[in-house]
Amino acid sequence: MAVAYWIIAGLLGVFYLYASGKKIVQSQERLAPMMGWVDTVPMPVVRAVGAVEVLGATGLILPPATGIAPVVAILAAVGFVVLQILAAGLHLSRGEAKDTGLNLVLILLAAVAAWLATAF
């Protein structure tokens, strides 16, 4: 179970660090082609989502790696499930049902990570 957790947590961590880095650093104009929703959301909210994603990725990796407060990994994974449910809702409200596939994959991976993190 530990190996499966590290594989999934590693994939989620890399994905969210990449995506959050873009949200935190890039301008709205640079983000718009790949994240159409940034046109309808104020940039401080986009940056805040990026910061939450960095914290979540950190929460998936550091607590189990250090053995300090490993329950944080479960909370981080559940937080990503909630985040992606909200993201899918945003896509659906914008008529972008075709864009929810990635959200569903991320929901599934985060839910599995939450379950696997109970082993720590």
Side-chain angles (χ1 to χ4, degrees), residues 19 22-36 38 43 46-47:
K22 288 192 163 297
K23 290 176 187 126
I24 291 170
V25 175
Q26 290 187 341
S27 67
Q28 188 173 26
E29 294 77 28
R30 299 249 344 244
L31 289 172
M34 64 188 114
M35 300 176 199
V38 299
M43 277 311 286
V46 174
R47 306 258 190 252

Side-chain angles (χ1 to χ4, degrees), residues 17-114:
L17 287 176
Y18 174 77
S20 64
K22 288 192 163 297
K23 290 176 187 126
I24 291 170
V25 175
Q26 290 187 341
S27 67
Q28 188 173 26
E29 294 77 28
R30 299 249 344 244
L31 289 172
M34 64 188 114
M35 300 176 199
W37 58 272
V38 299
D39 289 341
T40 59
V41 176
M43 277 311 286
V45 174
V46 174
R47 306 258 190 252
V49 169
V52 166
E53 289 175 348
V54 167
L55 292 173
T58 304
L60 284 176
I61 303 301
L62 286 182
T66 62
I68 300 171
V71 70
V72 173
I74 299 169
L75 298 174
V78 170
F80 280 139
V81 170
V82 171
L83 178 73
Q84 289 304 316
I85 289 171
L86 294 173
L90 177 66
H91 284 301
L92 292 172
S93 73
R94 292 172 42 94
E96 301 168 343
K98 65 181 178 6
D99 293 335
T100 59
L102 179 59
N103 300 116
L104 296 176
V105 169
L106 292 171
I107 289 168
L108 177 64
L109 287 174
V112 171

